[in-house]
Amino acid sequence: MSTKRPEALRVAVLASGRGSNLQAVIDAIEAGTVQAKIVSVISNKKDAPALERASRQGLSSLFVDPKPYAGRPDSREAYDRELLDVLRRHNVELVLLAGYMKIVTKVLVEAFANRMMNIHPSLLPSFPGLDVQKKAIEWGCKLAGCTVHFVTEGVDEGPIILQAAVPILDDDTSDTLAARILEQEHKIYPRAVQLFAEGRLRVEGRRVFIEAGKPDGQAVISPS
Ligand code: GRF
């Protein structure tokens, strides 16, 4: 059961690649399981399939070129200040990093403290960084998975919101494992967005608590 917001949560998605997580959120919004509106899809890559996907869906999509900032000592912060302007212009309430291959700086992290999420294809804090499915197999792990977390300055370090685990099979390659994990990513990312939209995520230090839904005044459903 959810707290009804007067208007849909305004979400921006930052993506550098194929955008399947973006698509999962779009689909969940269309299916009515997530009460949100994607007001902007932004990429640091001009030819990111995620941007194409966004335009196909009629969403506002924007390439923000990092090149003009290259070489400056504060290049990353300056880039993020440009992003912040865009996000503010769109009155964004929640930012989703979805395969966004650029490390975000203090500029965005502070402006969107506990309002910016990332999805990562490992069971954090194991295997932050890149090529993590391969690393999990090589380490000999029996379980892998994915994590949705709030974004802090440390890469893949923020408070964990949701995780899903999958088995690692003997004949897994990093591709087969990545595909199994991705299926779960597409479930838990929209779910985390909806929990946020319902105002049910409470952060205490490193821990994120999911509060029970509050009656919306119209009906009480039992069990909720
Ligand atoms: C996903 O595996 C996500 O966990 C990671 O980057 C990948 C992005 O995939 N951060 P997509 O662009 O959403 O398809």
Side-chain angles (χ1 to χ4, degrees):
M1 200 164 17
S2 65
T3 311
K4 286 256 160 57
R5 296 167 47 95
E7 284 178 25
L9 176 75
R10 297 178 68 82
V11 174
V13 179
L14 307 192
S16 308
R18 79 194 145 179
S20 71
N21 278 290
L22 163 66
Q23 189 66 54
V25 175
I26 293 173
D27 292 347
I29 291 172
E30 276 178 3
T33 51
V34 169
Q35 271 84 52
K37 179 180 160 75
I38 298 179
V39 293
S40 187
V41 176
I42 304 171
S43 185
N44 59 326
K45 299 278 179 203
K46 195 172 184 177
D47 52 1
L51 284 183
E52 239 176 75
R53 223 185 256 275
S55 322
R56 269 205 308 275
Q57 307 276 339
L59 301 174
S60 141
S61 64
L62 182 69
F63 162 57
V64 179
D65 193 352
K67 265 203 221 96
Y69 302 104
R72 286 170 54 161
D74 66 338
S75 62
R76 288 171 46 221
E77 287 78 6
Y79 182 80
D80 279 359
R81 274 192 287 274
E82 184 174 344
L83 290 192
L84 186 55
D85 278 352
V86 176
L87 297 171
R88 288 203 167 131
R89 272 205 304 278
H90 283 95
N91 294 320
V92 169
E93 297 170 279
L94 175 69
V95 178
L96 301 180
L97 308 186
Y100 182 60
M101 301 304 283
K102 210 169 184 314
I103 295 171
V104 293
T105 66
K106 221 185 170 113
V107 172
L108 283 185
V109 169
E110 285 182 353
F112 284 92
N114 295 336
R115 296 192 300 137
M116 177 158 47
M117 295 178 181
N118 181 42
I119 179 115
H120 180 76
S122 81
L123 292 173
L124 290 171
S126 291
F127 309 115
L130 298 173
D131 291 329
V132 295
Q133 298 91 343
K134 182 164 178 270
K135 287 177 189 159
I137 293 172
E138 284 174 358
W139 192 261
C141 297
K142 300 297 182 194
L143 288 173
C146 48
T147 303
V148 180
H149 64 91
F150 282 117
V151 177
T152 53
E153 274 189 76
V155 175
D156 301 328
E157 269 182 22
I160 292 170
I161 302 166
L162 291 176
Q163 292 186 304
V166 300
I168 296 181
L169 306 178
D170 289 349
D171 57 356
D172 261 333
T173 62
S174 49
D175 285 347
T176 58
L177 179 58
R180 190 174 311 118
I181 293 171
L182 196 62
E183 239 178 82
Q184 299 307 315
E185 293 185 33
H186 296 164
K187 290 183 185 156
I188 66 171
Y189 216 2
R191 174 94 188 107
V193 175
Q194 179 58 14
L195 288 170
F196 186 97
E198 291 174 1
R200 291 173 58 189
L201 299 178
R202 180 169 50 89
V203 185
E204 273 181 34
R206 281 218 49 86
R207 299 186 69 192
V208 180
F209 296 92
I210 297 175
E211 298 187 322
K214 298 182 186 80
D216 60 16
Q218 298 191 354
V220 176
I221 298 166
S222 178
S224 63

